[in-house]
Amino acid sequence: MRFEHRRNTTVSPRTRRLRVAAGALCAAALAATLVTGCGQDSGDQTAAETSEAAKVLPNQTTSPSGSVSGSPSETAQLTEDQTERKNLLSTVKITFDKAATTAVGEVSGGKLTDLDLEGLDDEDDASGSPSPSGSPSPSGSPSPSGSPSPSGSPSPSGSSAGPKWVAEVAEEDGTAHNVTIDAVSGEVIDSSPDADQSDADKTELADQLSKATQTPQQAAKAATDEKSGWVTSIGLDENDSQVLVWQVDVVSKDYKKTTFDVDAAKGTITDEQIDDD
């Protein structure tokens, strides 16, 4: 490092006076700056806080009101049928596939031909035939997962109360059996042959089963792959074109119901109808 030698210079009185005056002006300016600076600091801080609040408050106002009012408004928009589906499905613990397995287990060598969640869109149901109303699907139930096994313990609410799966299982010769399963515990409530079945009915049912190369589980998967949701009904029947199909009802998360016709031999969806109610 290099140091410069001080130079002894003589300063004139005029120069000295100018320096003193300039120093005084600088001091005054500094004082004013300090005073103003304090005020500005406070003002800047307040302005900064206000700015930050402006950024946060809109989110708080929009977010909560969106989430809080979102649910009620969604509930308010549900139709009567959607509300009934929501209330019933919230109590179901046994999924379609579990109910199907339990029902088939009640009939030696039997095959499932129809399975409906009782109390769901029953006004659409015709006795014994699949309808656009609730049938189960192997993979289609979003909420009833992790429920008791099909042969589970006694129903906590009793067999007369609570949701039920009502199944039709047929023997190879077409003899049908009706099986009722508690949709909460998985307990079999009743299992008995269909007393109203005629010989012609048996022959027709046996013929349909021989042609249905697609299982109800495969048909339910085809439907739920198309639209995710609860499978609430499935049944083997002929459509208007006399094609053998599995009719599968799927209730989506908005509690709207869609009925799919799945070709019982090919596994392809041939028709899809959305229930507006």
Side-chain angles (χ1 to χ4, degrees):
M1 181 180 293
R2 207 174 47 160
F3 294 94
E4 294 184 0
H5 295 287
R6 275 191 190 176
R7 287 179 294 176
N8 293 322
T9 55
T10 304
V11 181
S12 67
R14 172 181 170 77
T15 302
R16 199 176 288 118
R17 284 197 299 270
L18 288 174
R19 287 183 179 175
V20 171
L25 287 173
C26 287
L30 178 60
T33 301
L34 290 174
V35 172
T36 306
C38 292
Q40 286 177 341
D41 180 64
S42 174
D44 290 344
Q45 183 177 0
T46 303
E49 291 172 352
T50 303
S51 175
E52 288 303 311
K55 292 178 185 176
V56 175
L57 288 176
N59 294 334
Q60 291 179 340
T61 308
T62 303
S63 210
S65 84
S67 58
V68 173
S69 67
S71 302
S73 87
E74 180 186 344
T75 304
Q77 291 173 3
L78 294 179
T79 65
E80 183 178 347
D81 286 344
Q82 287 172 316
T83 301
E84 288 179 358
R85 292 171 195 143
K86 178 181 179 181
N87 292 339
L88 181 61
L89 288 170
S90 67
T91 65
V92 173
K93 302 298 181 186
I94 298 300
T95 57
F96 152 81
D97 50 330
K98 289 182 179 180
T101 300
T102 300
V104 170
E106 289 294 306
V107 180
S108 177
K111 292 183 178 181
L112 184 72
T113 59
D114 193 272
L115 182 59
D116 294 288
L117 186 58
E118 187 179 73
L120 197 68
D121 301 305
D122 280 347
E123 69 277 5
D124 296 328
D125 291 339
S127 62
S129 74
S131 68
S133 53
S135 47
S137 99
S139 60
S141 297
S143 102
S145 55
S147 49
S149 65
S151 59
S153 51
S155 166
S157 57
S159 58
S160 60
K164 304 177 189 66
W165 288 105
V166 179
E168 180 185 81
V169 180
E171 299 178 38
E172 188 176 356
D173 66 355
T175 300
H177 296 255
N178 297 320
V179 182
T180 304
I181 301 164
D182 189 304
V184 177
S185 69
E187 177 187 10
V188 175
I189 298 171
D190 181 66
S191 179
S192 59
D194 184 354
D196 298 327
Q197 191 182 30
S198 66
D199 290 340
D201 291 337
K202 291 181 182 180
T203 301
E204 181 182 7
L205 191 54
D207 181 57
Q208 288 181 339
L209 283 173
S210 67
K211 295 177 180 177
T213 56
Q214 294 289 309
T215 67
Q217 286 83 357
Q218 288 172 322
K221 184 178 186 305
T224 52
D225 281 348
E226 186 70 19
K227 178 164 289 189
S228 177
W230 293 266
V231 177
T232 58
S233 174
I234 191 167
L236 189 63
D237 201 3
E238 289 185 348
N239 63 14
D240 294 339
S241 302
Q242 304 304 306
V243 175
L244 188 64
V245 297
W246 287 105
Q247 285 187 334
V248 185
D249 287 351
V250 177
V251 175
S252 50
K253 291 181 180 180
D254 58 4
Y255 301 103
K256 290 182 179 179
K257 182 185 69 177
T258 303
T259 301
F260 295 93
D261 282 0
V262 181
D263 191 304
K266 300 177 181 178
T268 56
I269 294 175
T270 60
D271 188 53
E272 175 181 345
Q273 293 185 355
I274 299 175
D275 190 336
D276 294 329
D277 295 331

